[in-house]
mmCIF file of all heavy atoms in Angstrom:
data_model
loop_
_atom_site.group_PDB
_atom_site.id
_atom_site.type_symbol
_atom_site.label_atom_id
_atom_site.label_comp_id
_atom_site.label_asym_id
_atom_site.label_seq_id
_atom_site.Cartn_x
_atom_site.Cartn_y
_atom_site.Cartn_z
ATOM 1 N N THR B 44 1.998 24.394 -13.039
ATOM 2 C CA THR B 44 2.279 25.217 -14.218
ATOM 3 C C THR B 44 1.153 26.250 -14.322
ATOM 4 O O THR B 44 0.081 26.064 -13.735
ATOM 5 C CB THR B 44 2.251 24.347 -15.491
ATOM 6 O OG1 THR B 44 0.919 23.791 -15.620
ATOM 7 C CG2 THR B 44 3.271 23.204 -15.420
ATOM 8 N N ASP B 45 1.363 27.307 -15.111
ATOM 9 C CA ASP B 45 0.313 28.308 -15.315
ATOM 10 C C ASP B 45 -0.972 27.636 -15.814
ATOM 11 O O ASP B 45 -2.069 27.878 -15.300
ATOM 12 C CB ASP B 45 0.770 29.345 -16.360
ATOM 13 C CG ASP B 45 1.816 30.308 -15.787
ATOM 14 O OD1 ASP B 45 2.115 30.192 -14.577
ATOM 15 O OD2 ASP B 45 2.339 31.139 -16.545
ATOM 16 N N GLY B 46 -0.810 26.764 -16.814
ATOM 17 C CA GLY B 46 -1.975 26.118 -17.437
ATOM 18 C C GLY B 46 -2.764 25.287 -16.446
ATOM 19 O O GLY B 46 -3.999 25.335 -16.394
ATOM 20 N N ASN B 47 -2.026 24.547 -15.616
ATOM 21 C CA ASN B 47 -2.668 23.683 -14.621
ATOM 22 C C ASN B 47 -3.469 24.520 -13.614
ATOM 23 O O ASN B 47 -4.639 24.228 -13.336
ATOM 24 C CB ASN B 47 -1.554 22.906 -13.894
ATOM 25 C CG ASN B 47 -2.060 21.617 -13.316
ATOM 26 O OD1 ASN B 47 -2.553 21.601 -12.208
ATOM 27 N ND2 ASN B 47 -1.983 20.543 -14.101
ATOM 28 N N LEU B 48 -2.845 25.575 -13.102
ATOM 29 C CA LEU B 48 -3.547 26.409 -12.111
ATOM 30 C C LEU B 48 -4.741 27.103 -12.748
ATOM 31 O O LEU B 48 -5.840 27.145 -12.164
ATOM 32 C CB LEU B 48 -2.592 27.444 -11.501
ATOM 33 C CG LEU B 48 -3.216 28.388 -10.457
ATOM 34 C CD1 LEU B 48 -3.939 27.628 -9.357
ATOM 35 C CD2 LEU B 48 -2.162 29.320 -9.878
ATOM 36 N N ASN B 49 -4.564 27.582 -14.000
ATOM 37 C CA ASN B 49 -5.694 28.239 -14.675
ATOM 38 C C ASN B 49 -6.892 27.303 -14.813
ATOM 39 O O ASN B 49 -8.036 27.683 -14.576
ATOM 40 C CB ASN B 49 -5.253 28.729 -16.073
ATOM 41 C CG ASN B 49 -4.755 30.155 -16.026
ATOM 42 O OD1 ASN B 49 -5.345 31.002 -15.340
ATOM 43 N ND2 ASN B 49 -3.653 30.432 -16.700
ATOM 44 N N ARG B 50 -6.582 26.042 -15.150
ATOM 45 C CA ARG B 50 -7.661 25.055 -15.339
ATOM 46 C C ARG B 50 -8.443 24.868 -14.027
ATOM 47 O O ARG B 50 -9.679 24.879 -13.997
ATOM 48 C CB ARG B 50 -7.023 23.739 -15.801
ATOM 49 C CG ARG B 50 -7.961 22.694 -16.307
ATOM 50 C CD ARG B 50 -7.203 21.641 -17.169
ATOM 51 N NE ARG B 50 -6.062 21.068 -16.462
ATOM 52 C CZ ARG B 50 -6.137 20.017 -15.629
ATOM 53 N NH1 ARG B 50 -7.316 19.485 -15.376
ATOM 54 N NH2 ARG B 50 -5.050 19.521 -15.030
ATOM 55 N N HIS B 51 -7.701 24.747 -12.917
ATOM 56 C CA HIS B 51 -8.374 24.501 -11.632
ATOM 57 C C HIS B 51 -9.091 25.761 -11.120
ATOM 58 O O HIS B 51 -10.177 25.676 -10.536
ATOM 59 C CB HIS B 51 -7.364 23.972 -10.610
ATOM 60 C CG HIS B 51 -6.928 22.559 -10.889
ATOM 61 N ND1 HIS B 51 -7.815 21.502 -10.861
ATOM 62 C CD2 HIS B 51 -5.724 22.038 -11.230
ATOM 63 C CE1 HIS B 51 -7.153 20.385 -11.153
ATOM 64 N NE2 HIS B 51 -5.894 20.679 -11.394
ATOM 65 N N LEU B 52 -8.493 26.939 -11.387
ATOM 66 C CA LEU B 52 -9.163 28.185 -10.971
ATOM 67 C C LEU B 52 -10.484 28.350 -11.712
ATOM 68 O O LEU B 52 -11.478 28.807 -11.142
ATOM 69 C CB LEU B 52 -8.257 29.389 -11.239
ATOM 70 C CG LEU B 52 -7.110 29.604 -10.251
ATOM 71 C CD1 LEU B 52 -6.329 30.872 -10.608
ATOM 72 C CD2 LEU B 52 -7.616 29.704 -8.806
ATOM 73 N N LYS B 53 -10.510 27.920 -12.991
ATOM 74 C CA LYS B 53 -11.762 28.032 -13.769
ATOM 75 C C LYS B 53 -12.849 27.182 -13.124
ATOM 76 O O LYS B 53 -13.987 27.620 -12.956
ATOM 77 C CB LYS B 53 -11.533 27.607 -15.218
ATOM 78 C CG LYS B 53 -12.799 27.724 -16.084
ATOM 79 C CD LYS B 53 -12.570 27.391 -17.539
ATOM 80 C CE LYS B 53 -13.834 27.594 -18.406
ATOM 81 N NZ LYS B 53 -15.117 27.419 -17.720
ATOM 82 N N VAL B 54 -12.484 25.941 -12.716
ATOM 83 C CA VAL B 54 -13.468 25.051 -12.072
ATOM 84 C C VAL B 54 -13.989 25.698 -10.781
ATOM 85 O O VAL B 54 -15.194 25.740 -10.522
ATOM 86 C CB VAL B 54 -12.833 23.670 -11.754
ATOM 87 C CG1 VAL B 54 -13.782 22.805 -10.909
ATOM 88 C CG2 VAL B 54 -12.471 22.941 -13.050
ATOM 89 N N LEU B 55 -13.065 26.267 -9.997
ATOM 90 C CA LEU B 55 -13.453 26.880 -8.711
ATOM 91 C C LEU B 55 -14.287 28.140 -8.942
ATOM 92 O O LEU B 55 -15.274 28.389 -8.250
ATOM 93 C CB LEU B 55 -12.197 27.201 -7.899
ATOM 94 C CG LEU B 55 -11.443 25.991 -7.337
ATOM 95 C CD1 LEU B 55 -10.104 26.432 -6.747
ATOM 96 C CD2 LEU B 55 -12.269 25.259 -6.278
ATOM 97 N N ARG B 56 -13.880 28.930 -9.949
ATOM 98 C CA ARG B 56 -14.625 30.173 -10.248
ATOM 99 C C ARG B 56 -16.021 29.834 -10.767
ATOM 100 O O ARG B 56 -17.010 30.405 -10.323
ATOM 101 C CB ARG B 56 -13.860 30.990 -11.292
ATOM 102 C CG ARG B 56 -13.987 32.494 -11.112
ATOM 103 C CD ARG B 56 -13.115 33.282 -12.085
ATOM 104 N NE ARG B 56 -12.825 32.563 -13.306
ATOM 105 C CZ ARG B 56 -11.584 32.322 -13.749
ATOM 106 N NH1 ARG B 56 -10.545 32.719 -13.037
ATOM 107 N NH2 ARG B 56 -11.377 31.677 -14.874
ATOM 108 N N ASP B 57 -16.103 28.856 -11.684
ATOM 109 C CA ASP B 57 -17.411 28.447 -12.224
ATOM 110 C C ASP B 57 -18.333 27.936 -11.111
ATOM 111 O O ASP B 57 -19.554 28.063 -11.198
ATOM 112 C CB ASP B 57 -17.238 27.349 -13.294
ATOM 113 C CG ASP B 57 -16.586 27.889 -14.573
ATOM 114 O OD1 ASP B 57 -16.428 29.140 -14.683
ATOM 115 O OD2 ASP B 57 -16.221 27.068 -15.446
ATOM 116 N N ALA B 58 -17.738 27.373 -10.057
ATOM 117 C CA ALA B 58 -18.548 26.862 -8.938
ATOM 118 C C ALA B 58 -18.817 27.972 -7.912
ATOM 119 O O ALA B 58 -19.462 27.749 -6.893
ATOM 120 C CB ALA B 58 -17.835 25.692 -8.275
ATOM 121 N N GLY B 59 -18.259 29.164 -8.176
ATOM 122 C CA GLY B 59 -18.494 30.308 -7.285
ATOM 123 C C GLY B 59 -17.691 30.254 -5.999
ATOM 124 O O GLY B 59 -18.012 30.929 -5.015
ATOM 125 N N LEU B 60 -16.622 29.444 -5.987
ATOM 126 C CA LEU B 60 -15.895 29.247 -4.722
ATOM 127 C C LEU B 60 -14.710 30.196 -4.576
ATOM 128 O O LEU B 60 -14.213 30.430 -3.470
ATOM 129 C CB LEU B 60 -15.415 27.788 -4.621
ATOM 130 C CG LEU B 60 -16.512 26.723 -4.746
ATOM 131 C CD1 LEU B 60 -15.930 25.337 -4.474
ATOM 132 C CD2 LEU B 60 -17.683 26.979 -3.803
ATOM 133 N N VAL B 61 -14.215 30.743 -5.715
ATOM 134 C CA VAL B 61 -13.158 31.759 -5.636
ATOM 135 C C VAL B 61 -13.543 32.894 -6.580
ATOM 136 O O VAL B 61 -14.383 32.726 -7.474
ATOM 137 C CB VAL B 61 -11.763 31.211 -6.041
ATOM 138 C CG1 VAL B 61 -11.310 30.092 -5.132
ATOM 139 C CG2 VAL B 61 -11.700 30.831 -7.504
ATOM 140 N N SER B 62 -12.903 34.060 -6.357
ATOM 141 C CA SER B 62 -13.063 35.176 -7.299
ATOM 142 C C SER B 62 -11.660 35.616 -7.714
ATOM 143 O O SER B 62 -10.701 35.478 -6.934
ATOM 144 C CB SER B 62 -13.788 36.341 -6.604
ATOM 145 O OG SER B 62 -13.009 36.759 -5.487
ATOM 146 N N THR B 63 -11.544 36.085 -8.939
ATOM 147 C CA THR B 63 -10.229 36.543 -9.411
ATOM 148 C C THR B 63 -10.371 37.991 -9.872
ATOM 149 O O THR B 63 -11.443 38.414 -10.331
ATOM 150 C CB THR B 63 -9.735 35.684 -10.605
ATOM 151 O OG1 THR B 63 -10.754 35.669 -11.620
ATOM 152 C CG2 THR B 63 -9.465 34.256 -10.160
ATOM 153 N N GLU B 64 -9.270 38.749 -9.760
ATOM 154 C CA GLU B 64 -9.301 40.173 -10.099
ATOM 155 C C GLU B 64 -7.954 40.543 -10.704
ATOM 156 O O GLU B 64 -6.911 40.133 -10.175
ATOM 157 C CB GLU B 64 -9.512 40.959 -8.786
ATOM 158 C CG GLU B 64 -9.679 42.445 -8.939
ATOM 159 C CD GLU B 64 -9.591 43.150 -7.555
ATOM 160 O OE1 GLU B 64 -9.607 42.450 -6.522
ATOM 161 O OE2 GLU B 64 -9.431 44.368 -7.554
ATOM 162 N N ARG B 65 -7.967 41.298 -11.823
ATOM 163 C CA ARG B 65 -6.710 41.755 -12.423
ATOM 164 C C ARG B 65 -6.404 43.141 -11.854
ATOM 165 O O ARG B 65 -7.270 44.005 -11.796
ATOM 166 C CB ARG B 65 -6.835 41.824 -13.956
ATOM 167 C CG ARG B 65 -7.045 40.463 -14.594
ATOM 168 C CD ARG B 65 -6.896 40.498 -16.106
ATOM 169 N NE ARG B 65 -5.490 40.643 -16.474
ATOM 170 C CZ ARG B 65 -4.648 39.605 -16.566
ATOM 171 N NH1 ARG B 65 -5.063 38.387 -16.267
ATOM 172 N NH2 ARG B 65 -3.391 39.765 -16.934
ATOM 173 N N ARG B 66 -5.170 43.308 -11.393
ATOM 174 C CA ARG B 66 -4.782 44.607 -10.805
ATOM 175 C C ARG B 66 -3.518 45.085 -11.504
ATOM 176 O O ARG B 66 -2.674 44.265 -11.926
ATOM 177 C CB ARG B 66 -4.468 44.462 -9.305
ATOM 178 C CG ARG B 66 -5.678 44.104 -8.457
ATOM 179 C CD ARG B 66 -5.309 44.202 -6.974
ATOM 180 N NE ARG B 66 -6.171 43.348 -6.154
ATOM 181 C CZ ARG B 66 -5.813 42.860 -4.976
ATOM 182 N NH1 ARG B 66 -4.602 43.080 -4.488
ATOM 183 N NH2 ARG B 66 -6.640 42.105 -4.266
ATOM 184 N N GLY B 67 -3.415 46.407 -11.538
ATOM 185 C CA GLY B 67 -2.190 47.017 -12.090
ATOM 186 C C GLY B 67 -2.386 47.273 -13.574
ATOM 187 O O GLY B 67 -3.218 46.653 -14.244
ATOM 188 N N SER B 68 -1.615 48.228 -14.110
ATOM 189 C CA SER B 68 -1.722 48.558 -15.549
ATOM 190 C C SER B 68 -0.583 47.854 -16.275
ATOM 191 O O SER B 68 0.284 47.246 -15.652
ATOM 192 C CB SER B 68 -1.586 50.083 -15.696
ATOM 193 O OG SER B 68 -0.394 50.462 -14.993
ATOM 194 N N GLY B 69 -0.645 47.940 -17.617
ATOM 195 C CA GLY B 69 0.402 47.252 -18.387
ATOM 196 C C GLY B 69 0.353 45.764 -18.074
ATOM 197 O O GLY B 69 -0.695 45.118 -18.176
ATOM 198 N N ARG B 70 1.463 45.171 -17.619
ATOM 199 C CA ARG B 70 1.473 43.725 -17.313
ATOM 200 C C ARG B 70 0.735 43.512 -15.975
ATOM 201 O O ARG B 70 1.353 43.345 -14.912
ATOM 202 C CB ARG B 70 2.914 43.209 -17.214
ATOM 203 C CG ARG B 70 3.460 42.662 -18.549
ATOM 204 C CD ARG B 70 4.890 42.159 -18.372
ATOM 205 N NE ARG B 70 4.944 41.014 -17.432
ATOM 206 C CZ ARG B 70 4.672 39.753 -17.786
ATOM 207 N NH1 ARG B 70 4.296 39.495 -19.031
ATOM 208 N NH2 ARG B 70 4.761 38.769 -16.916
ATOM 209 N N SER B 71 -0.633 43.593 -16.052
ATOM 210 C CA SER B 71 -1.398 43.479 -14.788
ATOM 211 C C SER B 71 -1.248 42.070 -14.221
ATOM 212 O O SER B 71 -0.876 41.136 -14.927
ATOM 213 C CB SER B 71 -2.886 43.754 -15.071
ATOM 214 O OG SER B 71 -3.369 42.774 -15.967
ATOM 215 N N LYS B 72 -1.546 41.941 -12.949
ATOM 216 C CA LYS B 72 -1.425 40.634 -12.276
ATOM 217 C C LYS B 72 -2.811 40.178 -11.823
ATOM 218 O O LYS B 72 -3.698 40.987 -11.588
ATOM 219 C CB LYS B 72 -0.487 40.772 -11.075
ATOM 220 C CG LYS B 72 0.955 41.043 -11.499
ATOM 221 C CD LYS B 72 1.942 40.664 -10.397
ATOM 222 C CE LYS B 72 3.362 40.750 -10.938
ATOM 223 N NZ LYS B 72 4.330 40.052 -10.093
ATOM 224 N N THR B 73 -2.975 38.869 -11.698
ATOM 225 C CA THR B 73 -4.256 38.319 -11.260
ATOM 226 C C THR B 73 -4.166 37.960 -9.785
ATOM 227 O O THR B 73 -3.204 37.292 -9.370
ATOM 228 C CB THR B 73 -4.605 37.051 -12.082
ATOM 229 O OG1 THR B 73 -4.710 37.414 -13.450
ATOM 230 C CG2 THR B 73 -5.920 36.442 -11.609
ATOM 231 N N TRP B 74 -5.153 38.425 -9.029
ATOM 232 C CA TRP B 74 -5.224 38.127 -7.603
ATOM 233 C C TRP B 74 -6.451 37.246 -7.363
ATOM 234 O O TRP B 74 -7.498 37.425 -7.989
ATOM 235 C CB TRP B 74 -5.301 39.419 -6.792
ATOM 236 C CG TRP B 74 -3.995 40.179 -6.848
ATOM 237 C CD1 TRP B 74 -3.536 40.956 -7.880
ATOM 238 C CD2 TRP B 74 -2.961 40.175 -5.860
ATOM 239 N NE1 TRP B 74 -2.277 41.435 -7.595
ATOM 240 C CE2 TRP B 74 -1.895 40.982 -6.345
ATOM 241 C CE3 TRP B 74 -2.810 39.586 -4.596
ATOM 242 C CZ2 TRP B 74 -0.721 41.200 -5.636
ATOM 243 C CZ3 TRP B 74 -1.652 39.818 -3.870
ATOM 244 C CH2 TRP B 74 -0.612 40.618 -4.393
ATOM 245 N N VAL B 75 -6.294 36.282 -6.467
ATOM 246 C CA VAL B 75 -7.344 35.285 -6.236
ATOM 247 C C VAL B 75 -7.784 35.350 -4.770
ATOM 248 O O VAL B 75 -6.934 35.438 -3.865
ATOM 249 C CB VAL B 75 -6.834 33.863 -6.545
ATOM 250 C CG1 VAL B 75 -7.978 32.848 -6.495
ATOM 251 C CG2 VAL B 75 -6.138 33.811 -7.907
ATOM 252 N N GLY B 76 -9.080 35.309 -4.561
ATOM 253 C CA GLY B 76 -9.630 35.314 -3.196
ATOM 254 C C GLY B 76 -10.720 34.261 -3.072
ATOM 255 O O GLY B 76 -11.307 33.820 -4.069
ATOM 256 N N ILE B 77 -10.967 33.838 -1.836
ATOM 257 C CA ILE B 77 -12.023 32.849 -1.591
ATOM 258 C C ILE B 77 -13.335 33.599 -1.365
ATOM 259 O O ILE B 77 -13.340 34.726 -0.847
ATOM 260 C CB ILE B 77 -11.661 31.961 -0.363
ATOM 261 C CG1 ILE B 77 -12.502 30.683 -0.326
ATOM 262 C CG2 ILE B 77 -11.755 32.727 0.945
ATOM 263 C CD1 ILE B 77 -12.019 29.643 0.700
ATOM 264 N N THR B 78 -14.448 32.975 -1.789
ATOM 265 C CA THR B 78 -15.766 33.583 -1.566
ATOM 266 C C THR B 78 -16.400 32.961 -0.313
ATOM 267 O O THR B 78 -15.905 31.955 0.215
ATOM 268 C CB THR B 78 -16.699 33.270 -2.769
ATOM 269 O OG1 THR B 78 -16.837 31.834 -2.835
ATOM 270 C CG2 THR B 78 -16.120 33.786 -4.081
ATOM 271 N N ASP B 79 -17.503 33.534 0.151
ATOM 272 C CA ASP B 79 -18.192 32.922 1.302
ATOM 273 C C ASP B 79 -18.635 31.490 0.981
ATOM 274 O O ASP B 79 -18.401 30.580 1.787
ATOM 275 C CB ASP B 79 -19.381 33.796 1.722
ATOM 276 C CG ASP B 79 -18.904 35.083 2.417
ATOM 277 O OD1 ASP B 79 -17.739 35.085 2.888
ATOM 278 O OD2 ASP B 79 -19.676 36.061 2.471
ATOM 279 N N PRO B 80 -19.255 31.253 -0.199
ATOM 280 C CA PRO B 80 -19.566 29.843 -0.521
ATOM 281 C C PRO B 80 -18.309 28.961 -0.558
ATOM 282 O O PRO B 80 -18.347 27.792 -0.172
ATOM 283 C CB PRO B 80 -20.224 29.946 -1.905
ATOM 284 C CG PRO B 80 -20.739 31.339 -2.000
ATOM 285 C CD PRO B 80 -19.761 32.179 -1.234
ATOM 286 N N GLY B 81 -17.192 29.550 -0.974
ATOM 287 C CA GLY B 81 -15.932 28.786 -1.002
ATOM 288 C C GLY B 81 -15.507 28.404 0.401
ATOM 289 O O GLY B 81 -15.089 27.267 0.663
ATOM 290 N N ARG B 82 -15.649 29.371 1.320
ATOM 291 C CA ARG B 82 -15.259 29.078 2.706
ATOM 292 C C ARG B 82 -16.173 28.008 3.298
ATOM 293 O O ARG B 82 -15.724 27.099 3.999
ATOM 294 C CB ARG B 82 -15.320 30.381 3.511
ATOM 295 C CG ARG B 82 -14.371 30.381 4.693
ATOM 296 C CD ARG B 82 -14.259 31.744 5.334
ATOM 297 N NE ARG B 82 -13.250 32.559 4.658
ATOM 298 C CZ ARG B 82 -13.467 33.773 4.177
ATOM 299 N NH1 ARG B 82 -14.648 34.320 4.246
ATOM 300 N NH2 ARG B 82 -12.490 34.431 3.590
ATOM 301 N N ALA B 83 -17.483 28.089 2.949
ATOM 302 C CA ALA B 83 -18.427 27.089 3.475
ATOM 303 C C ALA B 83 -18.120 25.706 2.892
ATOM 304 O O ALA B 83 -18.134 24.696 3.607
ATOM 305 C CB ALA B 83 -19.855 27.510 3.117
ATOM 306 N N ALA B 84 -17.797 25.670 1.609
ATOM 307 C CA ALA B 84 -17.499 24.375 0.966
ATOM 308 C C ALA B 84 -16.229 23.769 1.561
ATOM 309 O O ALA B 84 -16.152 22.561 1.801
ATOM 310 C CB ALA B 84 -17.334 24.578 -0.538
ATOM 311 N N LEU B 85 -15.239 24.614 1.842
ATOM 312 C CA LEU B 85 -13.999 24.108 2.442
ATOM 313 C C LEU B 85 -14.260 23.613 3.863
ATOM 314 O O LEU B 85 -13.755 22.559 4.271
ATOM 315 C CB LEU B 85 -12.923 25.192 2.456
ATOM 316 C CG LEU B 85 -11.583 24.736 3.061
ATOM 317 C CD1 LEU B 85 -10.925 23.655 2.203
ATOM 318 C CD2 LEU B 85 -10.639 25.913 3.246
ATOM 319 N N ALA B 86 -15.091 24.335 4.605
ATOM 320 C CA ALA B 86 -15.410 23.909 5.978
ATOM 321 C C ALA B 86 -16.069 22.525 5.958
ATOM 322 O O ALA B 86 -15.731 21.651 6.780
ATOM 323 C CB ALA B 86 -16.323 24.930 6.639
ATOM 324 N N ALA B 87 -16.959 22.308 4.997
ATOM 325 C CA ALA B 87 -17.624 20.999 4.892
ATOM 326 C C ALA B 87 -16.603 19.915 4.525
ATOM 327 O O ALA B 87 -16.622 18.808 5.086
ATOM 328 C CB ALA B 87 -18.729 21.064 3.831
ATOM 329 N N GLU B 88 -15.696 20.250 3.628
ATOM 330 C CA GLU B 88 -14.648 19.294 3.236
ATOM 331 C C GLU B 88 -13.772 18.946 4.442
ATOM 332 O O GLU B 88 -13.505 17.772 4.697
ATOM 333 C CB GLU B 88 -13.786 19.909 2.124
ATOM 334 C CG GLU B 88 -12.460 19.240 1.862
ATOM 335 C CD GLU B 88 -12.516 18.040 0.919
ATOM 336 O OE1 GLU B 88 -13.590 17.801 0.321
ATOM 337 O OE2 GLU B 88 -11.493 17.336 0.800
ATOM 338 N N LEU B 89 -13.337 19.957 5.184
ATOM 339 C CA LEU B 89 -12.445 19.708 6.330
ATOM 340 C C LEU B 89 -13.158 18.872 7.394
ATOM 341 O O LEU B 89 -12.572 17.974 7.993
ATOM 342 C CB LEU B 89 -11.949 21.030 6.914
ATOM 343 C CG LEU B 89 -11.105 21.909 5.985
ATOM 344 C CD1 LEU B 89 -10.630 23.165 6.712
ATOM 345 C CD2 LEU B 89 -9.917 21.156 5.399
ATOM 346 N N ALA B 90 -14.451 19.137 7.589
ATOM 347 C CA ALA B 90 -15.215 18.342 8.566
ATOM 348 C C ALA B 90 -15.281 16.881 8.101
ATOM 349 O O ALA B 90 -15.079 15.956 8.900
ATOM 350 C CB ALA B 90 -16.624 18.912 8.712
ATOM 351 N N ALA B 91 -15.510 16.670 6.810
ATOM 352 C CA ALA B 91 -15.575 15.295 6.292
ATOM 353 C C ALA B 91 -14.209 14.623 6.400
ATOM 354 O O ALA B 91 -14.109 13.450 6.762
ATOM 355 C CB ALA B 91 -16.042 15.311 4.831
ATOM 356 N N LEU B 92 -13.147 15.384 6.114
ATOM 357 C CA LEU B 92 -11.802 14.798 6.213
ATOM 358 C C LEU B 92 -11.494 14.404 7.655
ATOM 359 O O LEU B 92 -10.904 13.349 7.911
ATOM 360 C CB LEU B 92 -10.750 15.778 5.691
ATOM 361 C CG LEU B 92 -10.782 16.083 4.193
ATOM 362 C CD1 LEU B 92 -9.638 17.015 3.813
ATOM 363 C CD2 LEU B 92 -10.729 14.806 3.364
#
Side-chain angles (χ1 to χ4, degrees):
Chain B
T44 62
D45 286 357
N47 205 273
L48 179 53
N49 268 319
R50 192 161 54 86
H51 288 297
L52 283 182
K53 181 176 183 331
V54 172
L55 289 171
R56 214 175 26 236
D57 290 351
L60 304 186
V61 299
S62 60
T63 53
E64 185 192 349
R65 295 191 73 84
R66 293 189 205 155
S68 52
R70 268 180 64 82
S71 62
K72 292 201 171 196
T73 299
W74 291 78
V75 188
I77 197 169
T78 61
D79 287 340
R82 207 170 274 127
L85 180 66
E88 164 85 8
L89 298 182
L92 293 183

